[in-house]
Coordinates of all heavy atoms in Angstrom, one line a residue:
R342 N 77.7 91.5 126.0 CA 77.4 92.3 127.2 C 75.8 92.4 127.2 O 75.2 92.6 126.2 CB 78.0 93.7 126.9 CG 77.8 94.7 128.1 CD 78.6 96.0 127.9 NE 78.6 96.5 126.5 CZ 77.7 97.4 126.0 NH1 76.7 97.8 126.8 NH2 77.7 97.8 124.8
G343 N 75.3 92.3 128.4 CA 73.8 92.4 128.6 C 73.4 91.9 130.0 O 74.3 91.7 130.8
P344 N 72.1 91.7 130.2 CA 71.6 91.2 131.5 C 72.2 89.8 131.8 O 72.2 88.9 130.9 CB 70.1 91.1 131.3 CG 69.8 92.0 130.1 CD 71.0 92.0 129.2
A345 N 72.7 89.7 133.0 CA 73.5 88.5 133.4 C 72.8 87.2 133.1 O 73.4 86.3 132.5 CB 73.8 88.6 134.9
P346 N 71.5 87.0 133.4 CA 70.9 85.7 133.1 C 70.9 85.3 131.6 O 71.1 84.2 131.3 CB 69.4 85.8 133.6 CG 69.4 87.0 134.5 CD 70.6 87.9 134.1
F347 N 70.8 86.3 130.7 CA 70.8 86.0 129.3 C 72.2 85.8 128.7 O 72.4 85.0 127.9 CB 70.0 87.2 128.6 CG 68.6 87.2 129.1 CD1 68.3 88.2 130.0 CD2 67.7 86.4 128.6 CE1 67.0 88.2 130.5 CE2 66.4 86.4 129.1 CZ 66.0 87.3 130.1
V348 N 73.2 86.6 129.3 CA 74.5 86.4 128.9 C 75.0 85.0 129.3 O 75.6 84.3 128.5 CB 75.5 87.5 129.5 CG1 76.9 87.2 129.3 CG2 75.1 88.9 128.9
L349 N 74.7 84.6 130.5 CA 75.1 83.3 131.0 C 74.4 82.2 130.3 O 75.0 81.1 130.0 CB 74.8 83.2 132.5 CG 75.7 84.1 133.4 CD1 75.2 84.1 134.8 CD2 77.2 83.7 133.3
A350 N 73.2 82.4 129.9 CA 72.5 81.3 129.1 C 73.0 81.2 127.7 O 73.1 80.1 127.1 CB 71.0 81.7 129.1
Y351 N 73.4 82.3 127.1 CA 73.9 82.4 125.7 C 75.3 81.8 125.6 O 75.7 81.3 124.6 CB 73.8 83.8 125.2 CG 74.3 83.9 123.7 CD1 73.6 83.3 122.7 CD2 75.4 84.6 123.4 CE1 74.0 83.4 121.4 CE2 75.9 84.7 122.1 CZ 75.2 84.1 121.1 OH 75.6 84.2 119.8
A352 N 76.2 82.0 126.7 CA 77.6 81.7 126.6 C 77.9 80.3 126.2 O 78.8 80.1 125.3 CB 78.3 82.0 127.9
P353 N 77.2 79.2 126.7 CA 77.6 77.9 126.2 C 77.3 77.6 124.7 O 78.0 77.0 124.0 CB 76.7 77.0 127.1 CG 76.3 77.8 128.3 CD 76.3 79.2 127.8
L354 N 76.2 78.2 124.3 CA 75.8 78.1 122.8 C 76.9 78.8 122.0 O 77.4 78.3 121.0 CB 74.5 78.7 122.6 CG 73.3 78.0 123.2 CD1 72.0 78.9 123.0 CD2 73.1 76.6 122.6
A355 N 77.3 80.0 122.4 CA 78.3 80.8 121.7 C 79.6 80.1 121.7 O 80.3 80.0 120.7 CB 78.4 82.2 122.3
R356 N 80.0 79.5 122.8 CA 81.3 78.8 122.9 C 81.4 77.6 121.9 O 82.3 77.4 121.2 CB 81.5 78.3 124.4 CG 82.9 77.7 124.6 CD 83.1 77.3 126.1 NE 83.4 78.6 126.8 CZ 82.6 79.0 127.7 NH1 81.5 78.4 128.1 NH2 82.9 80.1 128.4
Y357 N 80.3 76.9 121.9 CA 80.2 75.8 120.9 C 80.3 76.2 119.5 O 81.0 75.7 118.6 CB 78.9 75.0 121.2 CG 78.7 73.8 120.3 CD1 79.6 72.7 120.4 CD2 77.8 73.8 119.3 CE1 79.4 71.6 119.6 CE2 77.6 72.7 118.5 CZ 78.4 71.6 118.6 OH 78.3 70.5 117.8

Side-chain angles (χ1 to χ4, degrees):
R342 185 172 43 90
F347 300 97
V348 170
L349 293 172
Y351 181 66
L354 295 171
R356 185 174 285 114
Y357 180 69

